[in-house]
Amino acid sequence: MALVRPQSIKYGGRVPATPRDHVTTEALLAVTRSSRDTLYEWVVRRLLPRPSIATGPGGEQYAVWPVEALERVRFIVGKIREGLALDEIAALVEARGRRR
C-alpha cells in the first residue's frame, strides 16, 4: 500500500506551510492583521476558544491555539468584511458549533 503525500496548507506570510496540532498567535494575527488584544476580545466574546499556554525549550511561555481557531478566525474576518457586528457573528459561530 502506497502512502499518499499530504498537501501543504498555505497560510501565507510568516505562517508555516505544514499542518500542526496547534496554531500560534502569530498565525492568527497574520489572518486578522489586527492585534493580540483583538484575539483575546474574541475569546471573551466566545468567538474563539481559549488558547493553552506552552513552554518552549528556553522556558519562554507562549499561547497555542487549537487548529480549528484558524478556520474560525477566517470565518470571523470574512463576516466583519461583510459588515456584520460581533454580536451577529457570535450568533453565527454558536449556530455553526451546534451543527457539528
Side-chain angles (χ1 to χ4, degrees):
M1 175 165 92
L3 295 176
V4 178
R5 184 175 175 192
Q7 296 287 326
S8 326
I9 298 173
K10 299 213 186 307
Y11 298 111
R14 300 167 304 204
V15 181
T18 56
R20 298 182 177 196
D21 62 349
H22 68 274
V23 177
T24 64
T25 300
E26 287 71 25
L28 298 180
L29 292 174
V31 174
T32 64
R33 296 193 171 155
S34 189
S35 68
R36 292 173 193 274
D37 290 342
T38 297
L39 292 179
Y40 287 102
E41 177 187 347
W42 292 356
V43 169
V44 169
R45 290 176 172 260
R46 298 184 182 204
L47 294 168
L48 287 178
R50 192 171 293 283
S52 300
I53 302 300
T55 304
E60 69 281 0
Q61 292 188 329
Y62 57 96
V64 291
W65 302 78
V67 175
E68 62 268 10
L70 185 59
E71 176 191 342
R72 183 94 54 93
V73 163
R74 288 180 176 144
F75 176 79
I76 295 165
V77 169
K79 294 302 175 187
I80 289 171
R81 287 184 181 146
E82 290 176 18
L84 273 67
L86 287 180
D87 290 338
E88 295 170 305
I89 297 170
L92 293 173
V93 166
E94 185 178 335
R96 287 179 86 203
R98 284 193 299 249
R99 286 193 308 244
R100 291 185 180 186

